[in-house]
Amino acid sequence: MKIGIVCYPTFGGSGVVATELGKALADNGHQVHFVTYNQPARLDFFSENLFYHEVAISKYPLFDYPPYELALASKLVDVVRFENLDILHVHYAIPHASAAFMAKQILATYGIHIPVVTTLHGTDITLVGKDRTYKPVVTFSINQSDGVTAVSQNLKDETLEFFEIEKEIRVIPNFIDLQRFSMKAKDHFKKAIAPAGEKILIHTSNFRKVKRTQDVIKVFSKVNKVIPSKLLMVGDGGERSECEQLCRDLGVCDNVRFLGKQEAIEEILSVADLFMIPSQSESFGLAALEAMACKVPVISSNAGGLPELNIDGETGFLCDIGDVKAMAQKAIYILEDDARLNQFKENALARAKKFELSLILPVYEDYYREVIAKASALA
Ligand code: GMT
């Protein structure tokens, strides 16, 4: 197939899923065309089946708000026409699904009928989509898509609850490449971080408010009183300086390291004993899956799709949002006994294997074929 992929080219979960999916499709012999405003973060190598089309945004002085959606729609028209694409797969509803709808209408005037699959990732529904400003457009563009997928059952349920959706939504979860994400021998790094054999806790995110990163620091401060431990905070974003201040207030600075944005995240996860993701809202929790693939158990909130990934008492624990006391108790329970910790680590990896790329890739491929067949029957 010739597949167009539209995504945010950033480190965010939806961009990572879109890029990894595109790479895997290309490895499987499909021709994949990325259309976005910047080279996607994980698309920094050459492959004969991968193409990147940059959306240039006009900086005309009249435009206080440059119309990215229109530039994207125009680019999609070009790419679909001249590369003869079979299907467009847009990740994140806003503004990708509506731009794809516009492109589809324009292409119809050339006699080209391109099916569009929209994947809902989370904040496009749970935060941005529910905003009155965008709700009608989100509803419309989901309903106009030829196929719609959501990354968890919970996200599907929320979408159906808050929007008037007429389309069937297929649940296709996030996936993991276990060749890349596996526990690596990084003893020298572990020694540098935890020279006295302290336990290592870790959090990775974009430090947005929705991640409740300050809860991570609060939980760690409680754990650290009982278990000799270190905390690695990986990533960057709006809440980082608040977290740094909280470390000072709680007197844990010497045991917390802020590593900023990191490429080789699997190497850092490899030295960790416990992952924390106390999010306010989390449609799936790709960061937790990456940790589990590296044999790291998870303390999470019970928000959104996290219970579909993290199995309470088996791969980690689920606690109420904001219940830092319970999170700390559960973290100590896992960390205080090495045999128990090892069992949780094994369970985390076993669970991650259920989301292996090789299992999920054919699900997407079959879904594309199904959507293309339905759309061509209607054309
Ligand atoms: O988590 C983020 O803030 C990034 C966000 C995004 O929209 O790129 O991630 C969302 O999509 C990921 C991939 O499907 C999911 O694994 C994340 O759970 C989801 N984030 C939220 O729902 C907050």
Side-chain angles (χ1 to χ4, degrees):
M1 285 177 272
K2 289 186 171 187
I3 302 155
I5 292 188
V6 180
C7 64
Y8 283 105
T10 52
F11 277 94
S14 66
V16 169
V17 168
T19 312
E20 295 300 334
L21 176 61
K23 281 158 63 174
L25 288 163
D27 283 347
N28 230 15
H30 302 286
Q31 202 182 84
V32 179
H33 294 259
F34 283 90
V35 185
T36 179
Y37 58 84
N38 228 331
Q39 182 96 3
R42 291 191 184 180
L43 202 72
D44 52 359
F45 60 93
F46 173 76
S47 156
E48 58 179 331
N49 286 335
L50 282 176
F51 299 82
Y52 164 58
H53 307 267
E54 187 158 310
V55 181
I57 308 159
S58 162
K59 296 269 177 2
Y60 189 62
L62 183 67
F63 297 154
D64 277 344
Y65 304 99
Y68 176 66
E69 194 176 345
L70 301 185
L72 174 60
S74 295
K75 193 69 177 180
L76 288 174
V77 169
D78 263 16
V79 176
V80 172
R81 280 183 76 197
F82 297 109
E83 302 289 351
N84 292 313
L85 299 191
D86 298 307
I87 191 160
L88 275 180
H89 186 177
V90 303
H91 293 258
Y92 211 88
I94 300 168
H96 300 152
S98 43
F101 170 74
M102 200 184 304
K104 193 178 151 100
Q105 298 305 303
I106 297 168
L107 285 159
T109 67
Y110 295 98
I112 297 169
H113 300 282
I114 183 87
V116 173
V117 168
T118 297
T119 288
L120 310 174
H121 280 275
T123 47
D124 47 351
I125 295 301
T126 52
L127 300 179
V128 190
K130 284 182 197 167
D131 182 337
R132 281 183 188 282
T133 326
Y134 301 108
K135 198 174 170 190
V137 176
V138 173
T139 310
F140 178 80
S141 41
I142 292 175
N143 282 330
Q144 292 298 321
S145 299
D146 299 278
V148 184
T149 78
V151 297
S152 64
Q153 182 62 42
N154 176 268
L155 183 60
K156 172 178 173 173
D157 295 343
E158 283 219 23
T159 309
L160 294 175
E161 188 178 338
F162 288 99
F163 301 85
E164 291 78 48
I165 300 301
E166 296 146 11
K167 278 267 140 61
E168 186 220 329
I169 300 178
R170 191 74 56 91
V171 175
I172 307 182
N174 285 177
F175 52 83
I176 191 83
D177 177 358
L178 287 175
Q179 285 190 337
R180 176 179 167 193
F181 284 91
S182 60
M183 201 177 145
K184 315 258 184 306
K186 288 280 155 198
D187 292 349
H188 59 290
F189 179 49
K190 195 168 182 123
K191 265 226 144 63
I193 299 291
E198 296 93 337
K199 294 288 186 280
I200 300 178
L201 291 83
I202 189 166
H203 170 79
T204 67
S205 78
N206 49 26
F207 284 61
R208 292 195 195 130
K209 268 208 173 340
V210 69
K211 301 293 174 186
R212 296 189 68 100
T213 39
Q214 293 181 49
D215 284 1
V216 175
I217 309 288
K218 290 178 193 163
V219 173
F220 175 72
S221 157
K222 289 181 188 301
V223 172
N224 190 243
K225 289 192 172 78
V226 182
I227 306 254
S229 48
K230 301 282 179 183
L231 172 64
L232 298 177
M233 296 289 280
V234 185
D236 213 335
E239 291 292 292
R240 177 168 166 175
S241 55
E242 299 295 333
C243 288
E244 285 173 327
Q245 182 58 46
L246 187 59
C247 285
R248 286 176 214 128
D249 295 346
L250 295 173
V252 291
C253 290
D254 288 348
N255 292 316
V256 181
R257 291 218 21 200
F258 288 85
L259 298 181
K261 289 180 185 164
Q262 295 283 335
E263 282 283 351
I265 190 74
E266 66 281 10
E267 294 184 4
I268 305 171
L269 287 168
S270 290
V271 304
D273 296 296
L274 197 64
F275 185 82
M276 288 192 278
I277 178 165
S279 307
Q280 182 75 32
S281 159
E282 197 68 62
S283 68
F284 180 88
L286 179 61
L289 176 57
E290 291 179 344
M292 289 160 77
C294 297
K295 286 183 111 173
V296 188
V298 173
I299 296 290
S300 72
S301 69
N302 52 13
L306 284 167
E308 294 171 49
L309 172 66
N310 186 19
I311 309 301
D312 195 47
E314 189 181 313
T315 60
F317 285 100
L318 295 153
C319 303
D320 288 340
I321 298 164
D323 191 347
V324 292
K325 193 170 160 215
M327 289 181 195
Q329 277 168 354
K330 300 294 186 187
I332 292 166
Y333 174 79
I334 294 178
L335 294 172
E336 68 190 355
D337 179 315
D338 277 345
R340 188 183 294 147
L341 173 60
N342 283 335
Q343 187 59 55
F344 272 92
K345 286 186 175 191
E346 294 299 333
N347 295 348
L349 175 58
R351 180 78 186 139
K353 285 182 177 166
K354 305 253 189 275
F355 299 90
E356 228 286 82
L357 170 63
S358 62
L359 300 174
I360 309 295
L361 182 66
V363 179
Y364 271 115
E365 289 175 311
D366 288 348
Y367 189 60
Y368 291 159
R369 289 189 196 103
E370 184 185 323
V371 169
I372 291 170
K374 263 194 202 149
S376 61
L378 291 173

